[in-house]
Amino acid sequence: MGGWKRVAGSIALIAATTACGTDAPPDDPPSAADTVTSTTRTPRVVDESGRPAITFDPCLDLPDDVLVEAQYDPRSKRPSEYPMESYSFLGCGFTGTFHIPDVLRHYRLSVLAGNVTLEEELEKDGNISTHISVNGRDALLQLDPSNTDSCAITVRTDFGIVIFRRTYYADHVRDVPIDEWCTGLEETMAMLEPFIAQ
């Protein structure tokens, strides 16, 4: 990911209170018209750049059941956040659930949502990037031979980009062959992409 910073955050807890019973009849429950539900999330990361707010939180917006289907443990999520002056990133890391003794110890998926553009990412890492499409969304497949056992797909969004980087940790002294670093990542992306804010 070159010079781009990572980002993370906290999840708010909701407390519920219950009143003790009395002899008075309970109040009527509020009608749907009286109940106001906000669908707007306050961004956890803001900066002074004037760039768009990051509207996709990888720790909150990727459903647990979809992560399990993609062979990642939702309980392993590790949030990160980097509000900078000129750009920001909001991230989350997940550990894979698949293990092959003497071949694969574990693997990790890092997801970073940032308010930089795909063009900026291409300018920064164009030498390791190939244009692809994920579910019709403009994207870059990024394979850096110097970043051993790792592969990334960066997709365009309305607020900027989301980078999905998978890293293998071999269960032996040999590295994973470079032609396997990206194997299956596009299929994983096809499952996760629908949950990214446009």
Side-chain angles (χ1 to χ4, degrees):
M1 279 163 277
W4 301 134
K5 303 291 183 181
R6 295 191 178 183
V7 278
S10 58
I11 299 176
L13 299 177
I14 300 174
T17 58
T18 304
C20 295
T22 66
D23 291 335
D27 293 335
D28 291 333
S31 67
D34 295 331
T35 304
V36 178
T37 303
S38 174
T39 58
T40 302
R41 178 189 296 157
T42 301
R44 286 199 292 120
V45 175
V46 294
D47 55 48
E48 302 170 5
S49 67
R51 293 175 183 262
I54 300 169
T55 56
F56 170 70
D57 185 331
C59 274
L60 299 179
D61 295 330
L62 294 176
D64 288 357
D65 59 335
V66 177
L67 286 165
V68 169
E69 186 179 355
Q71 298 187 331
Y72 291 93
D73 183 356
R75 297 168 301 178
S76 70
K77 64 180 65 173
R78 294 292 181 269
S80 56
E81 63 184 30
Y82 282 87
M84 309 296 286
E85 290 185 6
S86 58
Y87 60 84
S88 293
F89 275 92
L90 177 63
C92 200
F94 305 92
T95 300
T97 58
F98 193 59
H99 173 252
I100 306 174
D102 299 322
V103 177
L104 176 67
R105 184 170 71 245
H106 66 276
Y107 55 103
R108 188 158 183 81
L109 182 70
S110 297
V111 186
L112 292 172
N115 56 0
V116 299
T117 67
L118 193 68
E119 287 72 23
E120 287 174 301
E121 177 69 12
L122 184 61
E123 181 179 354
K124 179 175 67 71
D125 286 332
N127 60 317
I128 61 166
S129 301
T130 303
H131 282 280
I132 63 170
S133 176
V134 177
N135 295 343
R137 191 190 292 259
D138 194 18
L140 300 172
L141 177 67
Q142 298 177 299
L143 179 61
D144 183 356
S146 67
N147 197 351
T148 306
D149 298 340
S150 185
C151 182
I153 292 179
T154 300
V155 297
R156 185 193 303 276
T157 70
D158 281 352
F159 60 81
I161 61 173
V162 179
I163 303 171
F164 291 78
R165 177 173 298 279
R166 184 186 63 199
T167 303
Y168 284 116
Y169 298 93
D171 201 17
H172 49 66
V173 296
R174 302 181 310 277
D175 290 331
V176 177
I178 192 169
D179 60 355
E180 295 180 13
W181 293 0
C182 298
T183 300
L185 185 56
E186 289 190 52
E187 288 77 6
T188 299
M189 280 297 308
M191 297 170 61
L192 302 180
E193 181 278 334
F195 301 97
I196 301 173
Q198 291 298 316

